[in-house]
Amino acid sequence: MNKQIKILLAVFLVCLFGILANLSWIQIFGAESLQGNAYNKRRMVEEYAVRRGDILSSDGQVLARSIETDTQYRYQREYPLGALFADITGYDSWRYGRSGLEASYNDELLGKGPQLTVRTLGNMLLGSSKRGNTLVLTVDSRLQRAAAEALDGNKGAVVALDPKTGAVLAMVTSPTYDPNVAVPLPGRDTQTAWDALNADPDRPLFDRPTNGLYPPGSSFKVVVAAAALDLGVSTPRSEFQCDGALPVEGYTIYDYGRRSHGELTFSKALVVSCNITFAQVGLRLGPRSFVQYAERFGFDKPVPFDLPTAASTVQDPDTMDDVALASASFGQGRDLATPLQMALVAAAVANGGSIMKPYLVNELQDYNGKIIEQTSPERLAKVMDEGTAETLAGMMVDAVDDGTGQAAQISGIAVAGKTGTAEVEGAEPHSWFICFAPERDPDIALAVVVENGGEGGRTAAPIARDILETALGIE
Amino acid sequence: MMVGFVSVQLARTGTVDYLSLAYPAAAAIVFLALHVVMRIFVPRADGLLLPLAAGLTFMGLVMIERLEASLALEQLLWITVAAAAFVLVIAFLRRYEVLAQYKYTLGVLALLLLASTMVLGQEVNGARLWLKLGTMSFQPAELAKVLLVIFLAAFFAEKHEVLSISTHRFLGIPVPELKYFVPLLAMWGVSVLMMIFQKDLGSSLLFFGIFICMVFAATARKTYVLVGMALFVLGAFLCYLSFAHVRMRVESWLTPFNPATVEGSSYQISQSLFALGSGGISGSGLGLGYPKFIPSVTTDFIFSAVGEELGLLGAAALVFMFALLVARGIKVALLHRDDFGKLLAVGLVSIIALQSFIIMGGVTRLIPLTGITLPFVSYGGSSLLANFILLGLLVVLSHRGATTNVQSIRQGARP
């Protein structure tokens, strides 16, 4: 009988050591994937036990802060300014996840980033409740509010940049939403409101400035003009003939409203936004130079930014025939651009031909206000010569002074701008205006788009003027 | 244990309340008293059995206090009651042979206890294991398993020679006469009935496992083991086909993170795995993890809580304690001289080994999860009571084994 008993002992021990082996496997090698599992509440509870850092505007307004609750998710978000900064801060919600800066700067806000200071380390060791870092943005709440008010509920977007640094001064989408709706607090069930936001056909949760892709219309002429001037394909004084229609490969291209501009210079063509002239310039440039310059401005890849961006696109030069090239040259081809991209186009002209990398977060501070990290401006691309930029700026000032952009005039200040009226099938055209001011030593570059807003000079340009006035301190 | 209590309190409030240290102190006094009683009644008993059980019990008490402070007092009371039962066993059952005379009575009692829940039982968490006596609930299966082991030990001690004789050959393998398969079939029937009527997969697996172990020890017949296992597989397969809750268990074993079930039927096992994963090697520290996300964490899933807060090191310590307890128990069986004692020891050890394996393997997803308590550690009166009676019997057997061996040496025989 003892023999069998010894066999049993062996079997029992094998079973128990099997558990030990399995346990080691789970707790050593499986730990990481288990901790990262989406159904593991632990990580969430731990993250919400951290007092997340605030998000502040450049003028010190609190855009997002953490409040203590007695739920299992201890600290939850509050957005004191409601919908005004929704497209920038996004939301942080245990139920619906994260978006905006709350998502892209999650580690920093939780204090998990590589910027672990001696003090936070000390706090961790002492076991006091962890606190995250504060984000100080480049956006000024007054300009943001002015931009939102100027847009006045129209569907569309505004992006304002400091052309010299790339700092975003305002970024508005409309319609938008109140991010507080994403945070269900005890006694505040927001599910219905949240469902309504998601079901809304106007897509209030969609960030138009960074992800809305629109045909740029005539505002794209700035890109074509930059290429033509920079390559010497034409000068401001080059003569063109506009008969209101241009036959290209058996297809006729018409000017907006089938208007005929007669004999005119290249400079004048930008001022009156003559499609026929730009079609001819585009054809002289050829598809390769056309795409090369568009890509220098940032087309065909997502703009590197603090938030996810959609790539603005131009057509592949190999598939571009003359008809496509001619219509793309006045922004009615297959090219699509985000408002952020078009703001960068304006900023490039404003900044002597260099595009600065756009950014939203200026400073990272620990909870005592000590600066951990400060963003230093970074050049993204050199698009054109300084001389080209200066010439083009002058042409854009003329467009505001004497041309399609007159609604953006501000007395005493030289505003450089270009309108865009992007025709869309079966609806009113999208209304564009890109601009910067003042012409010498500019403080702000701006892109405004109003979906189905009609002519750029009529809808978008006055909105731009209101924003410029606030930015430049003019009442 | 004191350290455990203090660290739980520090984690909870940052201060130490000296009054609550009464729990560990009381538990320590109980075990000290048991030690003294053992020295008096069974001085030659194995000296490691009680400390190992104490270690497991203390670990359980600390975890229960941490998980559900209000249950700690209850658990402490049950430890005291169970300790009293232990004392009664070693005081009055030192002549354990008397149990063999009542084998059929005990066997019938075991069956009645099991049957009682099928008829009168209360359904808790989908399994019908509980018997309500006034305000107290009681899990008869816990006590029944000890009674059944006594019955089987006595039965096999008497019959093992007959059962070992092979008169037939089947496919060249010596096979005992068909009628000797009757006990096997009967036991299988009981297990399957339990599976069907009580939906208690864990106990069913445990009972049948104990039986197979004892048959093997008694007869050395692989035929019984093979036929038994084949029957169990068949039974399990039939249950898998016919019962949705069995299928659910197997599915959550195979795919615990299936999005369709992770918030439902595989919630327990996935939460248990998350707990173990977040514990890592050294654990989160007592009171600093989130083991309460796991349902029934004080009973079936207490091992996962240990794994989360004390890490691989703490959980491995528990496994080692069980391994040592099993090894010492087997030693008792090996040194014992009469068949009844040997088989009784084997059966009792099988309970501990299989039960701890089934639940620890279940919560770590080594085998499909079946609800059952972790001996000595889990919260629960019936479980503690049964396990301390079991421990008492093992202690008596070890004392008697050592005593008879000493007498044999005195009489000039080789041990």
Side-chain angles (χ1 to χ4, degrees):
Chain A
M1 208 178 277
N2 278 2
K3 196 180 136 208
Q4 291 93 282
I5 295 175
K6 281 176 187 159
I7 293 175
L8 278 180
L9 175 65
V11 170
F12 292 156
L13 291 182
V14 164
C15 285
L16 290 173
F17 282 102
I19 286 172
L20 214 54
N22 185 36
L23 199 61
S24 313
W25 179 256
I26 293 173
Q27 297 203 280
I28 296 173
F29 302 105
E32 205 168 311
S33 80
L34 283 168
Q35 277 162 22
N37 191 298
Y39 297 103
N40 193 344
K41 268 194 290 186
R42 279 176 180 71
R43 208 189 49 191
M44 288 254 291
V45 169
E46 261 163 33
E47 285 188 353
Y48 284 96
V50 176
R51 181 152 172 202
R52 220 172 152 78
D54 292 346
I55 302 180
L56 306 176
S57 68
S58 66
D59 54 330
Q61 295 288 306
V62 179
L63 310 180
R65 64 174 165 226
S66 283
I67 47 168
E68 191 165 3
T69 67
D70 49 9
T71 63
Q72 68 173 337
Y73 304 114
R74 188 166 160 208
Y75 288 104
Q76 303 213 15
R77 278 310 224 191
E78 188 181 61
Y79 302 93
L81 298 186
L84 188 56
F85 279 82
D87 59 332
I88 295 172
T89 60
Y91 51 83
D92 168 71
S93 163
W94 59 268
R95 185 176 286 168
Y96 309 117
R98 298 187 174 105
S99 73
L101 291 175
E102 295 276 29
S104 53
Y105 277 80
N106 188 39
D107 283 355
E108 287 81 359
L109 288 165
L110 285 173
K112 278 205 301 198
Q115 305 86 359
L116 189 75
T117 61
V118 177
R119 202 184 287 116
T120 50
L121 187 69
N123 275 336
M124 240 163 77
L125 293 175
L126 290 171
S128 62
S129 96
K130 268 180 67 184
R131 297 181 65 159
N133 301 318
T134 299
L135 302 183
V136 182
L137 305 190
T138 55
V139 181
D140 185 292
S141 73
R142 288 160 298 188
L143 190 62
Q144 178 81 359
R145 180 165 285 120
E149 281 168 4
L151 207 49
D152 193 26
N154 286 302
K155 227 199 263 185
V158 172
V159 177
L161 302 168
D162 179 341
K164 284 177 235 148
T165 60
V168 174
L169 304 175
M171 199 171 94
V172 173
T173 188
S174 170
T176 186
Y177 66 100
D178 181 354
N180 290 306
V181 167
V183 186
L185 291 174
R188 182 176 86 182
D189 186 23
T190 55
Q191 187 67 45
T192 335
W194 181 256
D195 290 342
L197 281 179
N198 277 287
D200 192 330
D202 288 340
R203 300 172 70 198
L205 293 169
F206 181 60
D207 286 342
R208 289 167 177 79
T210 45
N211 286 287
L213 286 167
Y214 303 94
S218 295
S219 64
F220 193 75
K221 284 173 182 157
V222 175
V223 174
V224 177
L229 295 170
D230 209 38
L231 291 172
V233 168
S234 51
T235 67
R237 281 177 300 281
S238 304
E239 297 281 335
F240 290 87
Q241 177 66 36
C242 165
D243 300 326
L246 179 73
V248 182
E249 283 180 3
Y251 183 88
T252 308
I253 287 168
Y254 294 100
D255 213 326
Y256 185 67
R258 302 206 174 188
R259 205 167 348 178
S260 164
H261 294 104
E263 212 167 281
L264 76 176
T265 60
F266 184 46
S267 175
K268 183 76 180 166
L270 188 81
V271 171
V272 297
S273 199
C274 171
N275 287 355
I276 301 299
T277 302
F278 274 86
Q280 293 171 53
V281 170
L283 290 172
R284 280 189 214 170
L285 273 174
R288 289 194 191 277
S289 301
F290 176 88
V291 171
Q292 184 201 354
Y293 270 82
E295 288 186 348
R296 279 199 200 174
F297 274 101
F299 279 77
D300 280 344
K301 58 177 185 292
V303 176
F305 193 44
D306 292 328
L307 296 175
T309 56
S312 305
T313 53
V314 286
Q315 199 179 339
D316 183 345
D318 296 334
T319 66
M320 220 191 276
D321 57 21
D322 282 353
V323 180
L325 177 58
S327 27
S329 299
F330 51 90
Q332 288 296 160
R334 286 203 223 152
D335 26 356
L336 292 170
T338 60
L340 174 63
Q341 175 61 63
M342 292 317 289
L344 289 175
V345 169
V349 181
N351 193 37
S354 293
I355 294 183
M356 302 302 286
K357 183 172 176 271
Y359 62 97
L360 274 168
V361 178
N362 189 34
E363 270 172 23
L364 197 59
Q365 300 180 344
D366 74 4
Y367 66 87
N368 282 321
K370 191 174 149 273
I371 298 169
I372 306 173
E373 213 178 79
Q374 186 145 30
T375 309
S376 35
E378 212 180 300
R379 195 168 83 171
L380 197 61
K382 176 76 183 166
V383 181
M384 58 191 134
D385 281 349
E386 215 157 312
T388 309
E390 215 171 295
T391 310
L392 189 50
M395 289 161 71
M396 286 169 72
V397 171
D398 290 346
V400 173
D401 285 349
D402 312 318
T404 51
Q406 291 179 27
Q409 286 173 4
I410 301 171
S411 68
I413 290 175
V415 176
K418 181 71 199 85
T419 53
T421 307
E423 292 183 58
V424 276
E425 282 283 324
E428 281 287 291
H430 295 322
S431 183
W432 277 96
F433 194 70
I434 65 172
C435 61
F436 59 90
E439 183 202 2
R440 308 266 159 218
D441 197 19
D443 294 323
I444 176 171
L446 189 63
V448 176
V449 64
V450 178
E451 289 179 28
N452 311 115
E455 277 181 43
R458 229 172 260 174
T459 313
I463 293 173
R465 186 198 54 223
D466 289 352
I467 301 167
L468 289 179
E469 282 177 346
T470 307
L472 302 172
I474 299 157
E475 286 312 311
Chain B
M1 183 172 44
M2 281 283 186
V3 174
F5 266 82
V6 171
S7 57
V8 167
Q9 286 206 352
L10 278 173
R12 195 180 287 152
T13 59
T15 55
V16 182
D17 174 7
Y18 291 96
L19 205 84
S20 67
L21 294 181
Y23 287 139
I29 289 169
V30 167
F31 277 91
L32 217 60
L34 288 187
H35 177 72
V36 172
V37 171
M38 265 177 70
R39 295 303 302 164
I40 297 168
F41 287 104
V42 284
R44 289 179 201 281
D46 189 317
L48 262 180
L49 291 173
L50 185 69
L52 283 169
L56 292 168
T57 313
F58 289 165
M59 190 100 135
L61 187 60
V62 170
M63 279 321 287
I64 289 160
E65 206 271 345
R66 179 261 173 273
L67 292 166
E68 205 69 68
S70 58
L71 295 181
L73 182 64
E74 228 173 295
Q75 179 79 346
L76 189 62
L77 288 176
W78 277 112
I79 289 173
T80 318
V81 170
F86 176 88
V87 171
L88 289 178
V89 168
I90 58 174
F92 296 106
L93 284 176
R94 264 178 301 167
R95 288 188 46 77
Y96 63 88
E97 294 89 340
V98 296
L99 290 172
Q101 292 163 19
Y102 298 106
K103 61 174 180 281
Y104 288 109
T105 319
L106 293 173
V108 168
L109 197 60
L111 286 177
L112 279 178
L113 278 173
L114 286 177
S116 66
T117 56
M118 296 183 199
V119 185
L120 307 165
Q122 299 250 326
E123 199 156 316
V124 176
N125 298 332
R128 198 179 269 211
L129 309 172
W130 298 85
L131 208 58
K132 267 248 190 300
L133 297 172
T135 56
M136 291 206 318
S137 19
F138 184 67
Q139 235 178 327
E142 294 283 352
L143 210 59
K145 72 193 176 194
V146 180
L147 295 179
L148 205 71
V149 161
I150 299 171
F151 162 71
L152 289 174
F155 180 77
F156 286 133
E158 202 178 291
K159 301 273 164 51
H160 74 89
E161 273 149 19
V162 192
L163 291 170
S164 314
I165 295 167
S166 318
T167 48
H168 300 266
R169 280 183 165 272
F170 180 70
L171 297 174
I173 307 164
V175 175
E177 256 188 83
L178 218 52
K179 67 174 178 189
Y180 296 123
F181 279 104
V182 169
L184 189 68
L185 284 169
M187 193 61 211
W188 182 70
V190 169
S191 297
V192 170
L193 281 176
M194 279 174 65
M195 201 136 45
I196 294 170
F197 286 102
Q198 298 182 300
K199 300 179 184 170
D200 182 7
L201 305 174
S203 299
S204 165
L205 184 62
L206 176 64
F207 275 64
F208 203 67
I210 293 167
F211 176 75
I212 297 280
C213 288
M214 293 183 71
V215 167
F216 177 69
T219 63
R221 275 271 154 266
K222 291 191 194 77
T223 336
Y224 285 121
V225 178
L226 291 176
V227 171
M229 283 186 173
L231 281 173
F232 191 81
V233 169
L234 179 73
F237 185 66
L238 287 176
C239 282
Y240 176 83
L241 290 182
S242 44
F243 295 108
H245 72 278
V246 181
R247 269 198 302 280
M248 231 151 64
R249 290 290 174 89
V250 176
E251 271 154 26
S252 22
W253 175 55
L254 294 172
T255 53
F257 305 126
N258 178 353
T261 59
V262 72
E263 297 288 332
S265 58
S266 65
Y267 184 74
Q268 280 190 317
I269 182 69
S270 54
Q271 289 303 319
S272 165
L273 290 173
F274 291 150
L276 293 170
S278 73
I281 295 176
S282 55
S284 64
L286 275 174
L288 300 175
Y290 303 95
K292 284 192 177 183
F293 290 163
I294 319 168
S296 4
V297 69
T298 52
T299 54
D300 297 357
F301 282 86
I302 199 156
F303 187 65
S304 312
V306 172
E308 171 164 10
E309 301 216 317
L310 300 176
L312 177 61
L313 298 175
L318 266 186
V319 177
F320 275 117
M321 281 199 259
F322 278 112
L324 270 176
L325 192 59
V326 167
R328 297 305 290 192
I330 289 287
K331 192 182 158 217
V332 172
L334 287 173
L335 293 181
H336 224 282
R337 296 178 67 82
D338 76 84
D339 287 349
F340 174 57
K342 255 186 200 307
L343 285 170
L344 186 54
V346 166
L348 297 173
V349 170
S350 305
I351 292 178
I352 293 179
L354 292 175
Q355 194 168 341
S356 59
F357 172 71
I358 288 169
I359 190 60
M360 291 194 293
V363 301
T364 56
R365 208 169 74 92
L366 186 62
I367 56 172
L369 176 65
T370 51
I372 199 168
T373 56
L374 187 60
F376 299 108
V377 185
S378 286
Y379 165 76
S382 332
S383 168
L384 275 176
L385 190 63
N387 287 315
F388 272 81
I389 290 173
L390 182 159
L391 185 73
L393 286 170
L394 261 185
V395 163
V396 165
L397 286 167
S398 75
H399 167 74
R400 287 288 305 280
T403 314
T404 46
N405 288 344
V406 169
Q407 281 167 353
S408 327
I409 292 167
R410 283 207 191 113
Q411 286 159 11
R414 288 197 159 269

